[in-house]
Structures are given as structure tokens and as C-alpha cells.
Amino acid sequence: MNRTGSLRSGRTTAASAVPPDLSHRVRDTGDRQFVAALARGLSILRCFRFGDRYLGNLELSRRTGLPKPTVSRLTYTLTKMGFLFRSPVQEEYALGAGALVLGHAYLAALQIRAVARPMLQELADFARATVMLGENDGPRMVIVEVCHGSPTYQLRMEIGQRVPHNSTALGRAQLAAMTPAQRTARLEEIGKALSAQERADLETNIEAALLEYDRRGFVHSCGDWHPDFFAAGAPLRSADGTRILALSVSGPAFEMSRKRLTTEIGPRLVATRDAIYQAVKGFF
């Protein structure tokens, strides 16, 4: 996996050059209840990645795999509905206010964030690291809360940004808490964007993560996503088993050694996870 960014004083940019995200591509599922036209429209919105400002119909066609005339009709409709904004100067599209309303409604409804944030900040201060809370978003994890504990070295991650499952502690923790059937389906989905060698590496990494989770109750990622950052992760499964969030602690390798991860940070992370679970009584 290609990685960019370097460790420096201040905020550090995480890996941005990642395998293509094909989660927005609409495939024939054979499900008669599946409304393909709606899915195609939503796939346009999912094309916008962190840092994207404007995208044209040609780029949207490339990212979705849809014909350009179809994309043109979808962007026209989404603009009329307020989910996209068309710049007459750029002759391209940006996300509209309608998309922000949906995102804000999601965050407001996720009440666990307000409960968890003081505990996440306490953990971040203790670890002198960045603590994230994330939830699954197709083949990636989307960050729903971030707390920084070091004023000097910070992982540049924002709420709403997505990260891979396979190379991050956040994603590996979420995979570890899945049922075998759920995990198999998710890994197959992730593997569609990878080469044969990357798929083999994925299987090896996840097998190791599952063994570590069974043994310690948490997983780790030591330079697998960003070469200068080590991280530990733990899942947070709802009491009814319908929802799996994940927590991670990420810090610079010189601060977050493997020994500190396994003997100090990981156990503290699990304790924080359990405290959050008790505070919300397992429902979120």
C-alpha cells in the first residue's frame, strides 16, 4: 500500500494514497428489493472523499463506473434536491447543504459520542496520542470522534474521514468483533480493490489480528498504515449485537513502542472501552 506523509512537529498527515475505494460502485445483487436507481444516486455522493472540493461528471463516471450520460442525469437531480451544488465557473459539482444536514443528523443521533468523549480525551492524555472512535462504512471505517493528547505530534484525522480496515488498528478491531460469516463477506468486499499479493497480505494480517484479539482483547497496527505511527484497537459491540464500533489509540513509533502498546496502552484501551459500554448500558 502506498503511503504519504512524514512525522514532524505539529500535525501529521495520514496515508492518503490508498487502493481505490470501490464502495460507491453499484453491482447487481439479484435482490428484488434493491432499488438500483436509488443506489446509483447515492453512489455519486459517496464518490466525494476527504479533501475533494469539486468533481466533474467525467471523474464521477470514472469513480462509479456509470456511463457519463447517466451520471449527468444523476448530478442534475441531486443538484435540484440540494445534495450537490454546481459551480458555473468550475462547471463541476461540490457537496451541497443537503449532504451536511444528513451528516449532522447522524452525529447528533449517535449519543454515545457525548458519553464517550471525556473518556476518550482522558485516554488520549494518558497515552500522549490520538484516540479515535469509528464505525463501519462499507469496505472502510468512518471516524465519528477524535481526541488528541499530544500538543506536538498529532495524526491529522478528522470526523467523517475514512480509513482502511485491513491496515489500521481501528479497522482490524472492527473485523475482529464480527461473526465469521460477516468477516468473510467484508474481506471479500475489501479484496476486490486489491492485487493478489495484497489479498494474501490481507489474509495474513487479519489472521494475526484475530489471534492477538483472542489472546489480549485488542489488536495492533505497527507501521502498517502509516510507517511512523503505531496503534492499538479494540471493538465496541452493542448489547443486541447489531452494531460494532471500534476505538483506537495512535501515536508516533518513538513514543508508542510495541512493548508499551501491549503492556500499557492496550489494557488501558480495553478498560476505557468497557467503561463506555457500561455508561451507555450497551446500547448505542
Side-chain angles (χ1 to χ4, degrees), residues 19-23 25 27 136 138-140 165-166 174-175 178-196 198-200 202-203 206-207:
D21 181 0
L22 304 181
S23 60
R25 298 215 168 191
R27 299 178 178 86
N136 175 68
R140 294 176 183 269
H165 273 93
N166 53 313
Q174 206 262 354
L175 287 168
M178 288 181 168
T179 65
Q182 290 173 329
R183 187 162 48 249
T184 296
R186 182 59 43 75
L187 291 176
E188 288 178 354
E189 185 178 11
I190 294 171
K192 292 175 182 177
L194 305 178
S195 67
E198 287 171 332
R199 284 195 296 271
L202 169 64
E203 293 178 4
I206 299 307
E207 283 294 330

Side-chain angles (χ1 to χ4, degrees), residues 37-265:
L38 175 60
R40 286 193 289 269
L42 294 174
S43 74
I44 296 292
L45 299 179
R46 289 180 65 90
C47 282
F48 287 85
R49 304 164 185 162
F50 190 83
D52 284 338
R53 177 55 177 150
Y54 287 102
L55 296 176
N57 284 334
L58 184 62
E59 176 62 18
L60 290 169
S61 176
R62 187 188 71 81
R63 293 190 183 188
T64 60
L66 296 172
K68 191 169 179 287
T70 300
V71 170
S72 297
R73 293 194 299 272
L74 291 171
T75 52
Y76 175 84
T77 303
L78 290 167
T79 300
K80 288 292 185 180
M81 295 292 293
F83 291 103
L84 289 180
F85 166 78
R86 184 180 184 276
S87 167
V89 176
Q90 300 281 346
E91 295 187 345
E92 293 181 330
Y93 297 88
L95 289 175
L100 174 61
V101 171
L102 289 179
H104 181 72
Y106 165 81
L107 291 174
L110 194 62
Q111 297 179 354
I112 190 175
R113 293 175 63 241
V115 176
R117 182 168 179 81
M119 303 184 210
L120 300 181
Q121 187 61 59
E122 182 180 356
L123 175 60
D125 293 339
F126 166 80
R128 303 184 298 279
T130 297
V131 176
M132 293 182 285
L133 175 66
E135 185 168 17
N136 175 68
D137 180 35
R140 294 176 183 269
M141 295 289 289
V142 61
I143 297 168
V144 300
E145 189 59 87
V146 183
C147 293
H148 298 291
S150 171
T152 307
Y153 296 99
Q154 297 179 3
L155 194 60
R156 189 191 296 273
M157 302 301 297
E158 307 289 346
I159 292 174
Q161 194 166 349
R162 293 188 293 173
V163 300
H165 273 93
N166 53 313
S167 57
T168 63
L170 195 70
R172 290 174 180 175
Q174 206 262 354
L175 287 168
M178 288 181 168
T179 65
Q182 290 173 329
R183 187 162 48 249
T184 296
R186 182 59 43 75
L187 291 176
E188 288 178 354
E189 185 178 11
I190 294 171
K192 292 175 182 177
L194 305 178
S195 67
Q197 182 58 56
E198 287 171 332
R199 284 195 296 271
D201 291 341
L202 169 64
E203 293 178 4
T204 299
N205 290 337
I206 299 307
E207 283 294 330
L210 293 177
L211 289 174
E212 182 180 33
Y213 179 66
D214 289 341
R215 184 168 66 252
R216 294 194 171 103
F218 58 87
V219 300
H220 76 264
S221 173
C222 294
D224 298 324
W225 182 44
H226 190 292
D228 297 321
F229 276 80
F230 286 7
L236 176 61
R237 179 190 287 271
S238 63
D240 58 9
T242 59
R243 200 169 193 177
I244 304 173
L245 303 182
L247 305 173
S248 71
V249 184
S250 302
F254 64 80
E255 183 83 64
M256 193 84 69
S257 65
R258 288 176 184 266
K259 181 178 180 180
R260 187 172 182 235
L261 272 180
T262 57
T263 62
E264 183 180 344
I265 301 301

